[in-house]
Amino acid sequence: MNQNIHIIGAATTFGQPRLGVDLGPDAIRYAGLDKALYSLGYTVTDAGDIRSKYRVNASNHSVKNETNLLNYKEVMDFSLELAAEVDNTVSSGHFPLILGGDHSLSIGSLAGISKHYEDLGVIWYDAHGDLNDSRTSPSGNIHGMPLGISCGVGDEDLVNLYNRGIKVKPQNVVLIGMRDLDEGEKLYIKENDILTFTMGDIRAKGIENVMKEALVHLEGRTDGIHLSVDVDALDPLETPGTGTPVDGGLSLSESQLAMEMLNESERITSMDLVEVNPLLDEKNKTAEKAVKIAESLFGKKQL
Ligand SMILES: NC(=[NH2+])NCCC[C@H](N)C(=O)O
Ligand SMILES: [Mn+2]
Ligand SMILES: [Mn+2]
């Protein structure tokens, strides 16, 4: 694992309608992220937050429009800024650890990271596929679209953001924790043969076998792996402070085992940790879980 971690706060809320997810990066910091990483021996720097230049208020946020891409301009501008910061982070040899913020931030993080890899792999640890486009999205919320956009589907300017072309090949993607896929997403997964582990698969095979299969699939075909963790992959009993919770999710201990295995693989080269919304949380419990997940990814062992 890269010993130099650069934390980037991606304080965006425009990808979805619940106010407060832009406070996620500080909630994760206050839950003790940097101390946890220092104790594991890493050098940690923190860029502070990238924050939209657009003011957020209850009435201008997520107003329905005819394109079914809510807050399009806000998401576009934010993504460009984040992509540049992430690109510089990788160029300077650091591991980018991007704290969200809603999941639309992955448009920017993947745009910045993918510049540095021929065949970037992506592990999408989430209840959702985030593979919608404006036609298939039931909500118009762009946080339901970042993986689709990064795979080249949807609005041309978002697809070509920061550097032209597709950022991630669908065959280099693994979905883990799926339990709330929209019809269009299911179709896309089948048509593109995306390796997908639903909660049913995880219950049947166990998380250990799932992670092994995921790593075997990405071995050989990828030259780096980006891990995108949406805290709603975990069960809402574990992580209540998130905007689109779905029952029947992963436990903390399963997630810790998954992260430990990723640490041991030494293949993970960047990470997003997203959708922590402290305004929906109980005493910052969700941010504390996010820190535990990061600790396990960066090598904390139970024994
Ligand atoms: N990153 C997330 N939490 N995404 C939730 C997406 C929910 C739903 N599939 C939608 O597109 O609106
Ligand atoms: Mn999700
Ligand atoms: Mn997500």
Side-chain angles (χ1 to χ4, degrees):
M1 208 92 175
N2 186 331
Q3 288 301 301
N4 299 304
I5 300 172
H6 190 55
I7 295 171
I8 303 168
T12 177
T13 171
F14 284 109
Q16 53 79 61
R18 310 294 299 271
L19 297 178
V21 69
D22 53 325
L23 307 173
D26 271 346
I28 300 171
R29 290 185 183 100
Y30 293 164
L33 178 68
D34 65 339
K35 201 169 153 208
L37 300 176
Y38 284 129
S39 326
L40 290 166
Y42 290 86
T43 304
V44 185
T45 51
D46 190 330
D49 286 354
I50 296 178
R51 193 164 273 288
S52 178
K53 62 176 184 255
Y54 301 97
R55 284 296 299 274
V56 182
N57 61 56
S59 57
N60 75 1
H61 197 262
S62 293
V63 181
K64 261 287 178 210
N65 65 7
E66 58 296 336
T67 64
N68 202 31
L69 291 167
L70 299 183
N71 305 315
Y72 177 75
K73 175 109 186 82
E74 288 83 351
V75 171
M76 175 72 95
D77 289 0
F78 182 86
S79 304
L80 270 174
E81 241 187 279
L82 180 60
E85 176 72 29
V86 171
D87 179 8
N88 291 335
T89 302
V90 181
S91 293
S92 64
H94 292 73
F95 182 108
L97 172 54
I98 301 124
L99 310 178
D102 76 68
H103 220 162
S104 69
L105 68 84
S106 298
I107 301 168
S109 59
L110 283 169
I113 292 158
S114 61
K115 255 187 76 177
H116 300 267
Y117 298 89
E118 272 310 303
D119 272 293
L120 183 65
V122 172
I123 295 179
W124 203 262
Y125 197 84
D126 197 326
H128 307 96
D130 298 337
L131 287 162
N132 278 309
D133 62 26
S134 62
R135 293 161 311 136
T136 63
S137 170
S139 63
N141 296 325
I142 299 179
H143 79 154
M145 311 181 191
L147 187 53
I149 288 165
S150 304
C151 290
V153 183
D155 179 81
E156 220 182 293
D157 292 330
L158 284 174
V159 166
N160 290 303
L161 183 116
Y162 198 63
N163 48 327
R164 282 201 73 76
I166 290 171
K167 311 301 191 283
V168 182
K169 298 174 185 138
Q171 66 267 26
N172 291 351
V173 171
V174 182
L175 303 171
I176 299 175
M178 299 296 116
R179 58 191 184 278
D180 187 14
L181 293 166
D182 298 315
E183 288 314 312
E185 296 183 298
K186 290 181 186 169
L187 198 65
Y188 183 77
I189 287 170
K190 285 176 190 149
E191 279 174 351
N192 291 281
D193 236 346
I194 297 181
L195 183 59
T196 302
F197 298 101
T198 64
M199 280 313 300
D201 297 324
I202 296 169
R203 289 294 158 253
K205 298 177 181 220
I207 191 72
E208 187 183 18
N209 289 317
V210 164
M211 297 314 293
K212 276 187 194 153
E213 280 185 48
L215 284 164
V216 166
H217 177 78
L218 295 174
E219 188 68 53
R221 72 171 78 211
T222 57
D223 51 0
I225 301 176
H226 176 72
L227 170 66
S228 203
V229 173
D230 182 329
V231 293
D232 71 29
L234 276 72
D235 193 89
L237 291 168
E238 306 265 18
T239 52
T242 193
T244 51
V246 189
D247 284 339
L250 288 145
S251 69
L252 176 66
S253 56
E254 283 171 311
S255 301
Q256 286 172 313
L257 173 58
M259 297 301 127
E260 284 173 29
M261 290 176 71
L262 293 178
N263 174 268
E264 275 157 27
S265 78
E266 294 187 40
R267 300 287 319 280
I268 305 298
T269 41
S270 49
M271 179 187 196
D272 313 312
L273 193 46
V274 310
E275 296 281 353
V276 172
N277 186 336
L279 297 192
L280 304 174
D281 206 3
E282 298 159 10
K283 296 190 175 163
N284 218 27
K285 178 174 169 183
T286 302
E288 285 166 7
K289 300 288 164 71
V291 170
K292 290 204 154 86
I293 286 173
E295 278 181 320
S296 298
L297 178 78
F298 287 104
K300 184 170 179 182
K301 295 284 178 300
Q302 292 178 357
L303 184 69

